[in-house]
Amino acid sequence: MFVGMDQLASAETYTPGQPINQDYAGFAEPFLENHCIDCHGESDPEGGLSLENLGPIDAINASAWTSVWAQVSLQQMPPPDMSQPEVIERLKFSDWIVGELTRELQDKGGFHAHRDPNKGNFLEHDLLFGSLPEGIQLVPTSSPARIWRVTPEEHITRLNELINTEPEYDPAKPGLRTHGDAVPTNHGGELKLYFGVDRIIKWQGGTVAYATAVKSVPAVLSSPRNHGLENYPDFSTVNSAEATQILGIAGDILRYMADGPLSIAEPYQITDDPQSIADKMKGDLRGLPTSLVYNTKVMRPLTPVYDLMKEDAHTEDHVRSAVDFLFEALTFRPPTKSESDSYVSIVNQSIDKLGVKDGSVLGLSAIFLDRDALFRPELAEAGSPDQPGRVMLQDWELGLAVNHALRYIQPDAELKQSIVDGRMRTREDVKREVERMLADDSIRKPRILQFFRDYFDYDLGGYICKDTRALGETGVNNRGVAHYNAMFDATASTDRLIEWILHDDTDVLQRLLTTDNVVAGKADNTYFGKQRSREEMAASVAAQKAAAKKEALALAEWKKANPDKEPPGEKDAKKPKINHAVTEAKLTGPPIYARVSRRSFGRGSMKPERTLATAPEGERLGILTHPSWLVSHSDAMDNHVIRRGRWIQERLIGGAIPDVPITVDAMLPDEPRTPLRQRMRVTREDYCWTCHRKMDPLGFPFEMYNHAGLYREVEYREPVDTTGEIIDSGDPELDGKVANAFELIQKLAESERVEQVFVRHAFRFWMGRNETLNDAPVLKAAHRAYRDNNGSMKALLVSLLTSDAFLYRTRSEAKLAALN
């Protein structure tokens, strides 16, 4: 029965995405018998996994089947020396497992692994960009109808627009954070909205943030991810705790919209003369609203919400204007008549019971929890399906999808007018608006920058908790908060460098990987410096002592010759302390603005405190050698070779790593003052090396930097071994040994495969889902647009945002019923 399986599979026609309506006995069991049981039988099975009598998929054996799915999809099972299934047979078997796991687990938490962006590379790269085997029939692609949780950045920016007036874009200061940019976090990474910071003229005490902030705004995704692509609809929702917190914040925001700082301050604090209330600003006022003095000029937006709540009486027009304004501010579209009537009724009932002020706050707060204030629908409820059953988004759904692809604030006047006029219904409409917005530098497009943050993962350095002693041994003088602040600043510097390269829009990926340019801040002379060996440190100390001795002798001679005079410079400030552990980089160049990575207060905030410099020659090459990336891929005590190697494997080469089996104790030996490469010998054990061979040789070249990002040549008195290797990349021209990170990066930066993998990640970010075989034409067209336009990010975006995957939705009636 099992002999003809391969021939049968090769003769069949396979349409990706179609259900595999076959049972275990007739389909899956023969596959296991033909290709798996020899290694995973009952006696001494490989990896301790026996597939003998595995049986149909159910809740009990789901984890085993998930492992089988991963191994088969990644072509790690069967091993190369065993009988291999045909391509179609492998694809069908993988689809069958996913379908059965989805069905069996739908009421038990569900099966979502195949939708995880970290599993996107489970689909073979060559099938997407190469020629398909005979028998595979693609269908026109689309994305599923869905509601999409707005991102934390978009949510916080919507709320910020209600209470803060941000500066408009200034072309002379292109890096300065302005209207439309993401709201930065405080130094702890918390999301907070700040009341009236543009009106503060004096404060007393050091905790102004807590005195002026709305209660901590939650990172509003219920399934936050700490690395990689975050904005997938399948991984986000709003739970009851978040809803409660959002509702509480709504009350604070509405009161501030009505009263301004008076809602948190005493009336006397609103003055243009702080000295006039000096008698009231005494004592320990830290953390209290009374520690602040505001000027009298109104800086916040004055809206219909203000008009409704400023008087004790109210009119129907005031209520409806406030409802309609707030609804559009939070959902980015005007309400329908029924939506407007519904919320007007809620507000009126609340006012009747509580009075104008409290009733308005309670009634209007409900809009903050409206579905479209928290989610962006792509349900394609209007329009007729085409022959394959797809419906094209149109009007507000399509317009807001385009807006969301680039921005965090409401559609600009031209896009909004196009939607209202019925000119957002075709591919040509989308192309017109996307090209217009991409060409207009005055329109802020922070979603593009967010893609590069998600792709490179360089923005995590401020959140990597460092052991104080281990950090000191790197040569960095900063401790605690000073180091974390330096890492947040490093993120802002990398942001600015990316935007600088994006402005040229030529060979974007290659330049990001190989640039010698650096946007440098105050601490970067150290972080971009070189860690000295013990001998170099001793020589530096000796040189300082010799210089001090020479200076003392000269001073003694001067005093002897001038007994009645004061030595010059005797009362000058202390000389800066020398860091003997580091040869600092000399990063000089023209001044450049960088968007701040955390909110600052009062005068002196948001200055161009950085320079556009050239990195030390022979020590840095592109973003992967910048401290922001290196620290983001480290841990508390040391470098993280595995994390760095996995990043290279997944984000550049397009490979994938199965999840760590629960039977593996993934710990390195605790051997202080031993080079990391030596401690990682445990990953070369047979059971581990199958996966680690794809990561470790790619991470070791970055040992030329320590875990604070400093360049080094010695580790614990031994020369650093920076050799590595690219193994089984899928491109024979890439494979081979490399001497260091520079050789590795250069090879990857020149690879067409790496460009294609970059396009795959861009697809995932802007489509909010993993690619399928049916998306192959979209991916090929996007890569062709990028390549034919000299590595243009704009050309890549136009191609993706006018593709069928972006424009069309396929309705699932059962899912739509559940959503509604």
Side-chain angles (χ1 to χ4, degrees):
M1 178 174 89
F2 304 139
V3 177
M5 183 74 180
D6 290 340
Q7 290 84 350
L8 179 62
S10 62
E12 287 183 315
T13 297
Y14 167 65
T15 303
Q18 296 300 307
I20 309 298
N21 296 316
Q22 299 191 51
D23 60 15
Y24 170 77
F27 178 72
E29 190 175 18
F31 185 99
L32 295 177
E33 288 283 355
N34 277 348
H35 303 296
C36 306
I37 297 301
D38 282 352
C39 296
H40 296 276
E42 207 158 17
S43 61
D44 194 25
E46 289 285 337
L49 176 64
S50 172
L51 302 180
E52 192 83 42
N53 302 318
L54 180 60
I57 295 175
D58 57 32
I60 296 174
N61 63 21
S63 61
W65 274 108
T66 300
S67 179
V68 171
W69 164 72
Q71 297 291 330
V72 170
S73 298
L74 293 174
Q75 300 182 56
Q76 293 186 354
M77 190 171 79
D81 57 347
M82 300 297 290
S83 170
Q84 296 296 311
E86 297 289 336
V87 171
I88 291 179
E89 185 185 0
R90 185 187 294 272
L91 290 171
K92 289 186 67 175
F93 185 63
S94 175
D95 282 353
W96 180 85
I97 295 174
V98 169
E100 290 296 294
L101 284 169
T102 301
R103 180 178 59 81
E104 285 295 323
L105 300 180
Q106 61 182 342
D107 297 325
K108 305 176 181 67
F111 176 71
H112 305 288
H114 61 302
R115 296 194 180 104
D116 189 323
N118 294 327
K119 304 293 195 298
N121 291 350
F122 278 34
L123 179 57
E124 186 181 350
H125 184 85
D126 289 340
L127 291 178
L128 292 169
F129 290 92
S131 58
L132 291 172
E134 185 178 352
I136 294 181
Q137 292 186 349
L138 301 184
V139 296
T141 190
S142 65
S143 293
R146 58 201 176 178
I147 57 173
W148 199 334
R149 182 70 174 93
V150 299
T151 66
E153 296 84 8
E154 190 172 6
H155 186 244
I156 202 79
T157 304
R158 291 186 188 195
L159 301 184
N160 183 63
E161 290 280 294
L162 297 173
I163 63 174
N164 280 320
T165 302
E166 302 290 0
E168 291 299 324
Y169 175 73
D170 182 353
K173 302 174 181 178
L176 190 63
R177 195 185 74 81
T178 60
H179 178 68
D181 290 336
V183 179
T185 64
N186 68 4
H187 72 272
E190 297 168 297
L191 291 173
K192 289 180 178 292
L193 292 180
Y194 296 95
F195 287 145
V197 292
D198 45 6
R199 296 179 65 183
I200 296 174
I201 55 177
K202 184 177 180 180
W203 64 86
Q204 182 169 323
T207 53
V208 179
Y210 296 97
T212 62
V214 181
K215 303 176 187 74
S216 291
V217 177
V220 290
L221 297 182
S222 292
S223 302
R225 311 172 71 80
N226 61 9
H227 70 283
L229 304 182
E230 298 180 352
N231 190 24
Y232 266 37
D234 286 310
F235 289 90
S236 56
T237 183
V238 178
N239 61 33
S240 59
E242 288 172 335
T244 301
Q245 197 166 8
I246 291 169
L247 200 62
I249 292 164
D252 289 341
I253 289 174
L254 289 166
R255 292 185 186 280
Y256 185 79
M257 292 174 70
D259 299 331
L262 285 173
S263 64
I264 59 169
E266 298 296 332
Y268 66 78
Q269 291 174 251
I270 314 297
T271 176
D272 292 321
D273 181 12
Q275 295 305 316
S276 67
I277 59 169
D279 60 315
K280 295 181 172 64
M281 300 288 287
K282 292 181 178 179
D284 186 359
L285 302 177
R286 290 175 296 177
L288 300 176
T290 47
S291 67
L292 306 175
V293 181
Y294 301 89
N295 64 33
T296 58
K297 184 179 179 182
V298 175
M299 302 292 290
R300 74 190 187 281
L302 295 181
T303 72
V305 173
Y306 168 82
D307 295 333
L308 170 63
M309 297 172 67
K310 71 179 179 180
E311 304 291 346
D312 290 337
H314 72 288
T315 67
E316 189 75 8
D317 287 344
H318 279 152
V319 173
R320 189 169 297 277
S321 293
V323 163
D324 291 353
F325 164 80
L326 192 60
F327 186 95
E328 185 164 357
L330 292 172
T331 69
F332 288 5
R333 65 169 177 83
T336 63
K337 186 176 186 307
S338 63
E339 288 169 331
S340 180
D341 289 345
S342 177
Y343 282 117
V344 165
S345 176
I346 291 172
V347 174
N348 281 330
Q349 291 177 35
S350 298
I351 290 176
D352 290 343
K353 294 180 180 180
L354 302 175
V356 173
K357 183 66 69 68
D358 291 341
S360 296
V361 169
L362 179 62
L364 292 173
S365 292
I367 301 176
F368 286 75
L369 291 178
D370 187 271
R371 183 198 68 178
D372 289 8
L374 299 174
F375 296 88
R376 184 171 52 81
E378 294 181 349
L379 300 176
E381 293 173 306
S384 301
D386 63 6
Q387 195 278 330
R390 310 172 307 164
V391 181
M392 185 172 175
L393 296 176
Q394 56 185 276
D395 298 331
W396 281 104
E397 283 193 330
L398 183 55
L400 292 183
V402 169
N403 187 70
H404 167 81
L406 302 175
R407 315 184 73 195
Y408 294 141
I409 57 176
Q410 290 191 50
D412 68 328
E414 290 190 47
L415 177 56
K416 184 175 180 180
Q417 194 61 50
S418 293
I419 299 170
V420 172
D421 292 344
R423 293 185 293 113
M424 284 301 290
R425 295 179 178 175
T426 68
R427 194 185 313 271
E428 290 70 28
D429 289 338
V430 173
K431 184 177 182 182
R432 179 194 67 240
E433 293 300 322
V434 170
E435 289 182 338
R436 175 185 66 80
M437 289 190 283
L438 288 175
D440 189 345
D441 287 339
S442 69
I443 295 177
R444 306 300 261 176
K445 298 171 274 285
R447 282 278 292 162
I448 299 177
L449 179 63
Q450 188 62 45
F451 163 68
F452 284 97
R453 280 190 166 204
D454 287 3
Y455 175 70
F456 278 107
D457 280 338
Y458 62 82
D459 57 338
L460 306 176
Y463 305 99
I464 304 295
C465 183
K466 289 292 185 184
D467 175 82
T468 301
R469 182 174 177 179
L471 184 62
E473 290 180 351
T474 66
V476 170
N477 281 330
N478 290 329
R479 298 291 190 275
V481 172
H483 168 73
Y484 303 126
N485 284 349
M487 288 298 101
F488 282 117
D489 285 342
T491 295
S493 294
T494 304
D495 285 347
R496 186 68 189 99
L497 179 65
I498 289 172
E499 292 190 325
W500 183 71
I501 289 175
L502 284 173
H503 186 267
D504 289 344
D505 200 32
T506 302
D507 295 326
V508 169
L509 177 62
Q510 187 176 60
R511 288 185 62 191
L512 289 172
L513 291 173
T514 61
T515 182
D516 62 356
N517 288 115
V518 172
V519 173
K522 293 181 293 185
D524 285 328
N525 283 335
T526 296
Y527 284 94
F528 276 92
K530 175 187 174 185
Q531 184 180 15
R532 287 171 172 162
S533 64
R534 288 179 175 270
E535 292 75 18
E536 290 172 326
M537 291 172 60
S540 176
V541 171
Q544 183 194 23
K545 288 181 178 178
K549 184 176 181 181
K550 184 177 180 180
E551 187 176 327
L553 289 172
L555 180 61
E557 289 291 331
W558 190 92
K559 286 182 176 181
K560 186 176 181 181
N562 303 276
D564 300 325
K565 294 183 179 180
E566 184 80 16
E570 188 84 348
K571 296 181 180 180
D572 290 351
K574 291 183 179 180
K575 295 180 181 179
K577 187 176 180 181
I578 297 175
N579 184 356
H580 298 291
V582 176
T583 300
E584 292 196 344
K586 293 180 172 58
L587 300 174
T588 60
I592 188 170
Y593 277 83
R595 304 185 194 193
V596 293
S597 53
R598 13 175 238 293
R599 173 76 84 167
S600 51
F601 301 94
R603 299 172 193 158
S605 64
M606 304 180 186
K607 288 184 177 179
E609 297 172 335
R610 291 165 172 81
T611 58
L612 181 61
T614 300
E617 187 175 357
E619 295 182 6
R620 308 282 170 171
L621 186 71
I623 285 179
L624 304 189
T625 66
H626 288 197
S628 59
W629 190 86
L630 293 164
V631 176
S632 293
H633 296 81
S634 69
D635 60 27
M637 305 295 294
D638 211 333
N639 288 334
H640 205 305
V641 167
I642 300 167
R643 186 175 296 159
R644 293 174 180 176
R646 182 166 187 162
W647 190 94
I648 299 288
Q649 178 65 239
E650 294 180 340
R651 310 292 172 85
L652 296 181
I653 294 176
I657 312 296
D659 294 332
V660 179
I662 60 174
T663 56
V664 172
D665 181 17
M667 296 290 291
L668 298 181
D670 183 13
E671 297 171 351
R673 312 198 70 75
T674 301
L676 182 59
R677 187 183 285 260
Q678 294 182 26
R679 292 194 292 123
M680 286 185 62
R681 63 186 179 274
V682 296
T683 67
R684 298 188 70 90
E685 295 177 3
D686 290 343
Y687 186 51
C688 304
W689 190 238
T690 300
C691 291
H692 277 274
R693 68 193 292 268
K694 296 183 177 183
M695 300 181 288
D696 299 4
L698 299 173
F700 279 130
F702 294 93
E703 286 297 278
M704 58 197 291
Y705 307 97
N706 66 29
H707 65 96
L710 280 69
Y711 176 77
R712 66 180 180 182
E713 295 174 346
V714 174
E715 180 185 15
Y716 301 129
R717 296 193 173 187
E718 295 183 25
V720 175
D721 184 353
T722 62
T723 58
E725 187 175 5
I726 303 175
I727 301 172
D728 294 341
S729 67
D731 180 359
E733 293 185 6
L734 272 181
D735 292 346
K737 297 183 182 299
V738 294
N740 52 38
F742 283 15
E743 283 193 18
L744 175 67
I745 291 169
Q746 286 284 16
K747 289 186 72 172
L748 294 169
E750 295 168 3
S751 167
E752 182 180 61
R753 181 186 178 93
V754 170
E755 272 187 359
Q756 293 168 344
V757 174
F758 174 73
V759 170
R760 292 181 70 173
H761 281 84
F763 176 97
R764 293 172 202 171
F765 181 86
W766 272 284
M767 304 305 144
R769 64 173 177 82
N770 290 343
E771 59 273 35
T772 70
L773 266 186
N774 291 317
D775 296 309
V778 171
L779 291 162
K780 289 177 182 177
H783 177 241
R784 187 164 53 249
Y786 178 80
R787 182 193 59 212
D788 292 351
N789 289 276
N790 301 314
S792 165
M793 192 68 194
K794 290 179 181 177
L796 171 60
L797 276 172
V798 171
S799 180
L800 287 175
L801 298 182
T802 57
S803 71
D804 284 7
F806 184 82
L807 299 176
Y808 286 91
R809 298 293 173 268
T810 301
R811 301 167 179 160
S812 166
E813 299 306 325
K815 189 171 184 179
L816 288 176
L819 292 173
N820 292 323

